[in-house]
């Protein structure tokens, strides 16, 4: 059965009961030339543990854009960072829909089978997964709908194309069900203004206006999906875990251990671990009444956690006081030290309460940029601003092995990057890598990464437009009242109803991330949270500004840079046959060299200013044929005859920052410039090329 629907500026086509019929729910969705398959599968037996065993996977097939995977293994392997982050967005949007007590192992898989370069795959994939889940026998109340909001020429645009998004100053991704917002991801995009102080922050009112537009589109989408697919829903007799609430034990704990439990809560306010609860549980288990009643450890822990949650939330609502004694809008004490690492380019130790991040900045050359492929882009993307986030177990007192970064680490690093990126000039000549080592954690280490990252940039001499700070907000809805919390700690994150992270400068917001546990949030509460976050952000920024004024930049550690332009025709003289000349210069002076073949730009970077200057003089002498300075006469080799347009299938011999050298014949290599490369190339790959130009004894190539 096929359905077509014109929804939120797009035509969406769904095939139901056509493919993957043994899955609990499946849908084939088409938008433009993009085709996505979303499936939901669940086991028949629930797990014994009290949690939702949900796994979400998002897989981009390279055949969807007519490519074969690069590298030695010619098939899709582990997910890329982009795939992992998209899977995380789908998970965060759909997880709140599952009914309480649902414990069946469930897997949601979204596969991109065909990719249109103009279609937003994140929005499309979430909506396909939502429909598949709604069609399954898992009883969710209504389908989720995801939308993206851009801002182009000061106007908000619903569900822009990928080309339109590149012109936007805003990227706002929102998911919800009916009129309830469940998940928000926002980033301000870098300013195109030549003024280095210009940034695309949004004011709180502008964010609320954009969210209001998103909310209306989500309501439209959620209702439309429900109306369209309600008759196709499957049903099943599922069992739900009934919460075993031992009221007698809970009453016993509250009557006899309230004082000790409050003391444990006070201690837990200093750590994300709940070890104090386990210690108290031992004491409760040793009590004669508990022994006589044969209550086990699981029941006691359950009762203690319920009593703890009631105390924490009741105290916040009725006394306007938190477990650590803070007021609802109070930020924990902050201390900042910069450039504590003598040999690093820039570093900042940012401590807020019991959360501590050591953020280190490293500056590199163009060749240090991270290269990666996107399905919707023809050429590889060069990432010049990177943020890596590490969360070792010792940061929360755990003796756990350090592993490769998981979804949480990638998500937190991506959030910090989105917050900081608008403050860095896109024309900044160095590649920047920020690494955040979380040394202690009790509440929003990602926002500590933002604050520490902004100062680590300044400590490395990076002239960022403005300082950026972040704060995590929480929410408690209890007894018909609402309390918004500033700078939440781990205890409040666990027992609260919302995790809302807000980052920005004094003038506005650069990044948002919200996950709600209630099932939705209204605009009034959202407005309160945004303005309370602004108050906290301004407080944090005032402390950061004081630390910024005290920074002493490690000038001797920073890489030195020379930028100059030459006649583009002379670039081949710097490169030499098969890159021989440029390699000799790099080795001789200990520098890195990046060339712009089209514009004639030359960028030389190194750790020693004298060597950088000498390398510049050497290159200028070389192209002017001052062989006395160059140290030797240029060696010219007679080339075999080549015809313009002559085609070869040659092996890629060398990958350089400016392109690839391809073996032709008779030991001669030609240069395929990077601007002409459409897919990721690796040394040893075979590629079809043709002779485009013969000049100065060099062979320039085009793709055949």
């Amino acid at each position: 059965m096929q359905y077509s629907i014109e929804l939120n500026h797009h035509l969406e086509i769904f095939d139901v009961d056509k493919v993957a019929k043994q899955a609990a729910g499946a849908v084939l969705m088409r938008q433009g030339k993009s085709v996505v398959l979303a499936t939901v599968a669940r086991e028949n037996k629930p797990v014994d543990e009290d949690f939702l065993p949900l796994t979400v996977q998002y897989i981009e097939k390279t055949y969807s854009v007519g490519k074969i995977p690069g590298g030695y293994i010619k098939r899709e392997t582990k997910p890329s960072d982009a795939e992992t982050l998209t899977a995380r967005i789908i998970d965060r949007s759909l997880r709140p829909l599952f009914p309480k007590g649902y414990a069946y192992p469930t897997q949601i898989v979204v596969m991109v089978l065909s990719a249109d370069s103009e279609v937003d795959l994140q929005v499309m994939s979430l909506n396909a997964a939502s429909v598949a889940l709604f069609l399954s026998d898992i009883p969710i109340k209504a389908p989720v709908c995801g939308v993206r909001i851009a801002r182009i020429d000061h106007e908000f645009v619903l569900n822009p194309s990928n080309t339109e998004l590149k012109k936007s100053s805003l990227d706002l991704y929102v998911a919800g069900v009916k009129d309830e917002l469940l998940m928000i991801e926002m980033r301000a995009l870098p300013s195109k203004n030549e003024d280095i102080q210009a940034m695309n922050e949004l004011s709180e009112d502008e964010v609320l206006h954009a969210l209001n537009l998103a909310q209306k589109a989500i309501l439209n989408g959620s209702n439309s999906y429900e109306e369209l697919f309600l008759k196709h829903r499957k049903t099943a007799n599922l069992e739900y875990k009934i919460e075993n609430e031992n009221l007698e034990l809970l009453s016993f704990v509250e009557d006899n251990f309230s004082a000790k439990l409050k003391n444990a809560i006070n201690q837990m306010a200093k750590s994300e671990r709940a070890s104090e609860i386990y210690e108290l549980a031992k004491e409760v288990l040793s009590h004669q009444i508990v022994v006589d009643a044969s209550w086990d450890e699981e029941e006691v822990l359950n009762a203690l956690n319920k009593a703890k949650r009631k105390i924490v939330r009741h105290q916040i609502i009725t006394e306007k006081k938190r477990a650590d004694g803070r007021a609802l809008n109070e930020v924990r004490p902050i201390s900042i030290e910069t450039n504590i690492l003598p040999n690093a380019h820039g570093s900042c130790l940012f401590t807020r309460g019991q959360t501590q991040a050591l953020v280190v900045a490293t500056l590199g050359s163009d060749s240090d940029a991270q290269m990666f492929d996107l399905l919707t882009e023809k050429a590889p993307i060069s990432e010049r601003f990177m943020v890596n986030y590490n969360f070792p177990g010792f940061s929360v007192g755990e003796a756990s092995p350090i592993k490769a970064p998981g979804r949480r680490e990638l998500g937190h690093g991506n959030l910090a990057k989105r917050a900081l990126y608008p403050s860095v000039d896109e024309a900044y000549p160095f590649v920047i890598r920020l690494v955040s080592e979380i040394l202690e954690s009790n509440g929003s280490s990602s926002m500590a990464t933002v604050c520490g990252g902004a100062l680590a940039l300044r400590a490395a001499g990076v002239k960022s437009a403005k300082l950026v700070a972040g704060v995590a907000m929480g929410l408690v809805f209890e007894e018909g009242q609402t309390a918004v919390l500033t700078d939440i700690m781990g205890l409040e994150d666990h027992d609260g109803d919302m995790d809302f992270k807000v980052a920005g400068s004094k003038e506005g917001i650069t990044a948002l991330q919200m996950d709600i546990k209630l099932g939705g949030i209204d605009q009034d509460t959202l407005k309160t949270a945004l303005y309370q976050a602004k108050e906290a952000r301004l407080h944090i920024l005032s402390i950061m500004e004081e630390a910024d004024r005290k920074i002493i930049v490690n000038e001797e550690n920073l890489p030195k840079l020379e930028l100059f332009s030459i006649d583009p025709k002379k670039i081949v003289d710097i490169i030499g046959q098969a890159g021989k000349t440029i390699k000799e210069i790099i080795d001789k002076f200990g520098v890195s060299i990046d060339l712009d073949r089209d514009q004639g730009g030359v960028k030389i970077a190194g750790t020693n200013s004298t060597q950088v200057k000498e390398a510049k003089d050497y290159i200028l002498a070389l192209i002017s044929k001052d062989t006395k300075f160059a140290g030797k006469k240029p060696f010219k080799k007679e080339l075999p005859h080549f015809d313009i347009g002559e085609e070869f299938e040659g092996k890629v011999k060398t990958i350089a920052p400016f392109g690839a050298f391809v073996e032709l014949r008779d030991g001669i290599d030609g240069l395929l410039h990077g601007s002409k490369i459409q897919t990721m190339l690796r040394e040893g790959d075979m590629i079809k090329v043709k002779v485009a130009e013969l000049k100065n004894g060099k062979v320039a190539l085009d793709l055949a």
Side-chain angles (χ1 to χ4, degrees), residues 374-650:
L374 287 179
L375 275 189
T376 52
E377 297 289 341
K378 290 184 178 179
I381 304 297
S382 179
E383 186 176 19
R384 296 179 55 82
F385 182 74
M386 298 166 273
V387 180
N388 300 145
Y389 168 100
N390 299 315
F391 191 88
F394 64 73
S395 65
V396 288
E398 294 178 355
S400 57
I402 294 178
K403 300 178 180 178
R407 290 190 176 191
R408 181 178 185 271
E409 286 81 5
L410 292 175
H412 282 12
N414 184 56
L415 174 58
K417 176 187 172 181
R418 290 189 284 116
L420 292 168
Y421 188 46
S423 71
V424 179
D425 183 2
E426 284 194 302
Y428 187 69
F430 289 107
V431 168
I432 302 171
R433 182 186 183 225
L434 287 174
V435 179
S436 178
E437 310 286 3
I438 303 305
L439 307 183
E440 187 179 358
S441 180
N442 181 19
S444 196
S445 49
S446 63
M447 295 296 94
T449 297
V450 172
C451 299
L455 288 168
L457 289 172
R458 293 284 178 90
V462 178
K463 305 297 183 185
S464 56
K466 300 170 188 175
L467 286 176
V468 174
V471 65
M473 309 297 292
L475 176 71
V476 172
F477 182 77
E478 192 80 22
E479 303 170 22
Q481 299 183 63
T482 301
V484 176
L485 309 178
T486 295
D487 180 24
I488 58 172
M489 51 192 165
L491 178 68
E492 293 164 339
D493 187 13
H494 184 270
D495 289 332
D497 300 315
M498 177 183 75
D499 181 14
F500 188 23
K501 299 180 175 75
V502 187
S505 69
K506 279 188 171 182
E507 282 69 33
I509 298 167
T510 58
L512 284 180
Q513 180 176 293
M514 186 199 80
D515 293 293
I516 195 79
K517 304 173 190 175
L518 289 172
I521 186 171
D522 61 83
Q523 285 273 336
D524 288 339
T525 303
L526 201 54
K527 184 175 182 178
T528 300
L530 281 172
Y531 275 95
Q532 195 166 311
K534 180 180 181 180
E535 176 189 317
R537 189 170 75 248
L538 294 177
H539 165 72
I540 297 169
L541 282 168
S542 67
I543 299 172
M544 290 173 61
E545 286 172 348
E546 183 180 350
D548 183 36
R549 288 190 288 269
K550 297 177 181 178
I551 288 176
I552 300 174
V553 178
N554 293 332
E555 294 287 356
E556 67 277 7
N557 290 352
L558 299 181
K560 309 304 183 284
L561 189 69
E562 285 281 355
L563 295 169
F564 58 98
S565 297
I566 63 172
D567 184 345
K569 297 175 183 177
K570 299 287 188 179
I571 291 289
V572 292
D573 294 329
I574 301 174
I575 297 169
Q577 180 64 35
K580 182 180 179 182
T581 304
I582 195 171
K583 288 178 182 177
E584 288 178 348
I585 299 171
I586 289 170
D587 292 341
K588 181 174 182 177
F589 296 101
V591 296
S592 64
I593 301 174
D594 297 297
L595 303 173
D596 184 336
R597 187 183 180 93
D598 296 325
Q599 302 298 322
V602 181
K603 184 189 298 183
I604 307 173
T607 57
N608 185 291
S609 58
T610 301
Q611 290 176 317
V612 170
K613 180 67 168 58
E614 288 179 351
K616 176 183 177 181
D617 292 341
Y618 187 97
I619 288 174
L620 291 175
L622 178 68
I623 62 173
S624 65
K625 305 304 180 185
D626 185 350
T627 55
K628 178 180 178 182
F629 184 87
K632 59 181 180 180
K633 293 182 180 180
F635 175 69
K636 292 187 178 180
K637 178 180 179 181
E638 285 296 323
L639 294 180
H641 179 71
F642 289 95
D643 293 322
I644 301 298
E646 187 176 355
E647 295 187 1
F648 297 89
E649 183 171 10

Side-chain angles (χ1 to χ4, degrees), residues 226-240:
E226 183 178 39
E227 181 181 346
L228 203 60
F229 300 111
L230 184 61
K231 60 187 175 185
H232 291 285
R233 295 194 74 180
K234 299 176 182 177
T235 58
N237 294 319
L238 302 179
E239 296 179 1
Y240 299 100

Side-chain angles (χ1 to χ4, degrees), residues 318-391:
T318 60
E319 301 177 32
K320 308 300 180 187
K321 185 180 176 183
R322 298 156 77 173
D324 59 357
R326 278 187 292 154
L328 302 190
N329 64 344
E330 186 177 348
V331 178
R332 287 171 291 180
I334 291 172
S335 68
I336 300 171
E337 296 179 67
T338 54
N339 278 342
I340 65 170
L341 303 180
N343 227 23
H345 290 165
S347 59
C348 176
L349 182 65
F350 182 89
T351 308
R352 185 195 62 241
Q354 293 79 40
T355 295
Q356 187 176 69
L358 174 62
V359 189
V360 185
T362 307
L363 308 182
S365 64
D366 290 4
S367 59
D368 293 313
Q370 176 68 60
M371 302 292 291
F372 62 93
D373 280 321
L374 287 179
L375 275 189
T376 52
E377 297 289 341
K378 290 184 178 179
I381 304 297
S382 179
E383 186 176 19
R384 296 179 55 82
F385 182 74
M386 298 166 273
V387 180
N388 300 145
Y389 168 100
N390 299 315
F391 191 88

